């Protein structure tokens, strides 16, 4: 009997050790980093990351552009702090979608407008859009939304990033049209916003909901940010 008790006791010690190791492994990079930072400090760091990166890839999408609106359905490209942008924008005109290659640099916006040859110098406000190069401007771009956000609340953890390998923390709040109009000039009223931020402070996604086109209809834009540190030279076509 005493032999069995000694074996049982040893087994208990082994199981306890394995449990400790298991808990230690779970506390690694696969779980969200614990932080006591106030939400305002987290968003301030996210702004700094956006403002200091050499460049990044960004995309903007919506599935519910109001009927009859001339506006942006999607945008996808690379931007830097020259400022400059190189990518594609899908605009809706008279109920039809048009994907337009766009380069914005040196204060001008060039596009390959459908049914016209080559690149054209355009005014983006004709399409309900801003100068795409300004989307990463510290004063007028997406990062300017962060300090303008009020009523910030920390939410739960979500998966995101490439192959959902990142553990992100969600923050919600409200943004006034004075800030959102830098993104979509006709924005009206307050906007609900949800940000997801990485453990090291990179803004990975912003979801904005409100009246972007002063139509009385609420809609949602989702903006994704990745490839921080991208280095690219963008020049006029």
């Amino acid at each position: 009997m005493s032999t069995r008790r000694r074996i049982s006791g040893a087994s208990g010690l082994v199981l306890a050790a394995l449990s400790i190791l298991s808990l230690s492994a779970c506390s690694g990079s696969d779980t969200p980093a614990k932080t006591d930072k106030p939400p305002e400090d987290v968003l301030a760091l996210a702004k700094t990351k956006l403002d200091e990166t050499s460049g990044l890839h960004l995309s903007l999408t919506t599935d519910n552009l109001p009927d009859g609106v001339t506006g942006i359905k999607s945008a996808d490209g690379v931007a830097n702090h020259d400022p400059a942008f190189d990518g594609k924008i899908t605009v809706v005109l008279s109920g039809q979608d048009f994907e337009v290659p766009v380069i914005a640099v040196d204060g001008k916006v060039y596009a390959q407008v459908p049914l016209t040859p080559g690149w054209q110098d355009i005014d983006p406000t004709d399409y309900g859009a801003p100068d795409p190069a300004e989307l990463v401007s510290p004063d007028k771009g997406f990062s300017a939304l962060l300090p303008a956000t009020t009523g910030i609340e920390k939410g739960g953890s979500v998966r995101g990033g490439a192959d959902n390998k990142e553990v992100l923390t969600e923050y919600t709040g409200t943004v006034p049209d004075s800030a959102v109009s830098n993104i979509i000039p006709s924005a009206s009223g307050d906007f609900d916003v949800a940000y997801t931020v990485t453990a090291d402070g990179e803004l990975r996604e912003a979801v904005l909901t409100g009246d972007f086109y002063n139509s009385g209809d609420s809609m949602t834009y989702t903006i994704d940010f990745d490839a921080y540190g991208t280095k690219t030279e963008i020049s006029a076509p």
Side-chain angles (χ1 to χ4, degrees):
M1 293 293 292
S2 61
T3 302
R4 283 197 294 270
R5 282 198 296 269
R6 285 198 295 271
I7 292 173
S8 176
S11 298
L13 290 173
V14 170
L15 289 173
L18 289 174
S19 297
I20 293 171
L21 289 172
S22 175
L23 288 172
S24 176
C26 290
S27 66
S29 59
D30 205 34
T31 59
K34 293 182 179 180
T35 177
D36 295 326
K37 287 183 179 179
E40 291 81 3
D41 290 353
V42 174
L43 297 193
L45 176 59
K47 175 173 172 54
T48 298
K49 293 277 187 175
L50 277 173
D51 294 344
E52 292 184 351
T53 184
S54 58
L56 76 166
H57 169 258
L58 59 85
S59 66
L60 175 149
T61 58
T62 183
D63 292 325
N64 58 343
L65 194 69
D67 292 340
V69 164
T70 294
I72 304 300
K73 185 175 182 179
S74 65
D76 187 275
V78 175
N80 63 32
H81 288 296
D82 285 345
F85 174 88
D86 185 357
K88 294 181 179 180
I89 296 178
T90 299
V91 297
V92 177
L93 298 170
S94 301
Q96 291 186 309
D97 295 2
F98 296 92
E99 185 180 82
V100 182
V102 172
I103 293 176
V105 66
D106 297 331
K108 293 185 177 182
V109 180
Y110 305 91
Q112 290 184 342
V113 180
L115 305 179
T116 60
W119 292 88
Q120 308 292 322
D121 186 348
I122 67 165
D123 181 352
T125 59
D126 291 341
Y127 305 93
D131 178 345
E134 295 295 339
L135 293 177
V136 292
S137 163
D139 300 322
K140 298 180 180 180
F142 290 116
S143 80
L145 300 177
L146 296 163
T149 305
T150 58
I152 307 168
E153 294 185 2
K154 181 180 178 181
S157 297
V158 296
R159 285 282 182 176
D163 299 323
N164 282 332
K165 290 182 178 178
E166 293 181 309
V167 179
L168 313 170
T169 302
E170 187 175 76
Y171 298 85
T172 59
T174 303
V175 184
D177 54 12
S178 57
V180 180
S181 61
N182 290 320
I183 310 302
I184 301 294
S186 54
S188 176
D190 289 338
F191 289 75
D192 294 329
V193 63
Y195 303 111
T196 49
V197 183
T198 67
D200 61 356
E202 287 186 356
L203 177 63
R204 192 62 77 234
E205 182 181 80
V207 180
L208 285 160
T209 301
D211 186 358
F212 284 92
Y213 292 96
N214 199 20
S215 64
D217 294 322
S218 180
M219 58 167 289
T220 297
Y221 275 120
T222 299
I223 308 100
D224 293 312
F225 308 83
D226 60 18
Y228 281 67
T230 294
K231 295 181 180 180
T232 182
E233 292 187 9
I234 300 172
S235 57

